[in-house]
Amino acid sequence: MPEFSRAILAWYGRNKRDLPWRRTTDPYAILVSEVMLQQTQVDRVIPKYAAWLARFPGFAALAAAPRSEVLRQWSGLGYNSRAVRLHALAKLLVEQHSGQLPSTEEELVRLPGIGLYTAGALMVFAHDRPGHCIDVNIERIFRRTFFSRTSTGITKSKTKIEKIFIDSFPEKRATDYGNALMDLGSAVCTATKPKCDGCPVYNLCKSRGERPDEKKAREKRKQPAFLHSNRWWRGRILKAVNENGRLSEKDLLKIIVVRPKNDEREAFRNALEQLREEGFLSRGKSIRVND
């Protein structure tokens, strides 16, 4: 295990990415980056991350902001419920925890909206301590390195991989080690076309020479041009309301689609009703973001 972590860190020293959230140990800033990166690509997160911290530099500023402003700042990242959960967490921390995050995984996972992965990421990237921040990239690295493809399911279970991962942390430089694994999984030990020739732990890998065991992603079904996804409608609705204030349903739909067809009207109403039920929008005659 020491040989594994040393090789990973040496590779990281030559290949590390310079990302803005790697220049801070502020738990708030780390949490913001982790939430933004959950379902959004790095290049889209970078400008939004900087703008978010400029507008909401800490939990107190975020908690004091109206939901409409929070969603406006989040616009473009998708999955708006992430912003709502982050906003709610900020309010809870200000009210009950003096605006501070706890400093242990055990305490962090008790907070709403923080799972084991996020709690572990805060340990590693904010406190430079080992934590259970195993994403799909890291799990793939450890599954391939320490188990061959023919290993049984029990042997390479997630619980076993988690233990190996925690045990692999060097005595120091937990933050660098976590970042190194993230970069290795993103650039070298990829899901479908791993670059094994450039892998720093190739000689230790029990799966070297084997074909990747991940199934190819299924081709997404193409939707008719007139019928966008529910996520598309939700995002466009919130964007239009944020930019224009109160709107009637008729005016709101016209902003999104100039000449809507019947199927588009139905998809619009379904997404709108979901947003109302989830508390994003008010239920009055005119539509606005519910603060």
Side-chain angles (χ1 to χ4, degrees):
M1 201 63 73
E3 183 181 355
F4 174 84
S5 58
R6 282 198 301 270
I8 296 289
L9 285 169
W11 175 88
Y12 179 67
R14 301 186 299 271
N15 298 279
K16 62 183 175 182
R17 292 179 290 177
D18 180 22
L19 300 172
W21 43 88
R22 293 184 178 179
R23 304 170 198 156
T24 180
T25 58
D26 176 18
Y28 169 75
I30 298 297
L31 177 63
V32 169
S33 71
E34 288 298 328
V35 174
M36 287 185 171
L37 288 163
Q38 281 172 6
Q39 293 166 301
T40 309
Q41 294 179 340
V42 169
D43 58 348
R44 286 178 58 198
V45 168
I46 290 174
K48 301 299 291 187
Y49 172 79
W52 181 278
L53 292 183
R55 175 61 183 85
F56 311 121
F59 287 116
L62 179 57
R67 180 185 289 183
S68 57
E69 176 64 13
V70 172
L71 291 174
R72 189 174 299 114
Q73 290 294 326
W74 192 268
S75 178
L77 289 172
Y79 298 100
N80 293 283
S81 58
R82 291 182 293 168
V84 173
R85 289 196 296 269
L86 189 57
H87 189 211
L89 176 61
K91 290 183 176 181
L92 183 147
L93 291 173
V94 168
E95 292 170 0
Q96 300 181 18
H97 298 271
S98 302
Q100 301 293 321
L101 280 168
S103 58
T104 67
E105 275 191 353
E106 292 76 12
E107 293 173 296
L108 284 166
V109 294
R110 297 192 190 108
L111 295 173
I114 294 186
L116 184 58
Y117 170 82
T118 304
L122 285 165
M123 290 297 97
V124 173
F125 302 120
H127 300 290
D128 201 25
R129 303 205 304 263
H132 292 80
C133 57
I134 303 179
D135 67 355
V136 292
N137 287 328
I138 290 178
E139 181 180 345
R140 182 169 60 248
I141 291 169
F142 279 80
R143 179 159 34 83
R144 286 177 176 169
T145 304
F146 295 99
F147 305 99
S148 69
R149 191 178 179 186
T150 57
S151 299
T152 65
I154 293 176
T155 302
K156 57 182 178 181
S157 68
K158 192 164 185 176
T159 301
K160 182 72 172 176
I161 290 172
E162 285 179 353
K163 184 180 185 309
I164 296 173
F165 171 67
I166 292 297
D167 289 345
S168 74
F169 271 88
E171 291 185 9
K172 299 179 180 179
R173 299 183 64 191
T175 298
D176 284 344
Y177 184 60
N179 284 328
L181 289 169
M182 297 285 184
D183 286 358
L184 186 70
S186 174
V188 177
C189 194
T190 56
T192 57
K193 295 181 179 179
K195 302 176 180 64
C196 295
D197 290 345
C199 181
V201 291
Y202 178 81
N203 291 333
L204 302 174
C205 183
K206 292 188 176 180
S207 296
R208 64 179 182 271
E210 296 180 359
R211 296 180 62 184
D213 53 1
E214 286 80 6
K215 295 180 180 179
K216 291 184 178 180
R218 294 179 180 177
E219 183 178 0
K220 294 182 179 179
R221 295 180 180 179
K222 294 183 178 180
Q223 295 179 333
F226 60 82
L227 186 60
H228 298 288
S229 68
N230 182 259
R231 178 189 171 192
W232 185 92
W233 281 106
R234 288 167 63 97
R236 294 306 187 281
I237 289 170
L238 285 173
K239 185 174 186 292
V241 176
N242 266 320
E243 292 178 350
N244 296 275
R246 291 176 180 270
L247 292 166
S248 67
E249 287 191 21
K250 182 178 179 181
D251 289 339
L252 175 57
L253 180 55
K254 282 185 177 180
I255 288 173
I256 301 172
V257 180
V258 177
R259 294 184 180 85
K261 299 178 181 179
N262 289 337
D263 287 328
E264 290 176 318
R265 292 179 189 276
E266 182 180 355
F268 164 76
R269 294 193 183 101
N270 288 340
L272 182 60
E273 188 57 31
Q274 284 181 3
L275 290 169
R276 283 172 168 164
E277 290 177 355
E278 293 169 11
F280 283 96
L281 301 176
S282 68
R283 294 177 177 269
K285 292 182 179 180
S286 61
I287 299 167
R288 65 177 178 81
V289 172
N290 185 8
D291 290 331

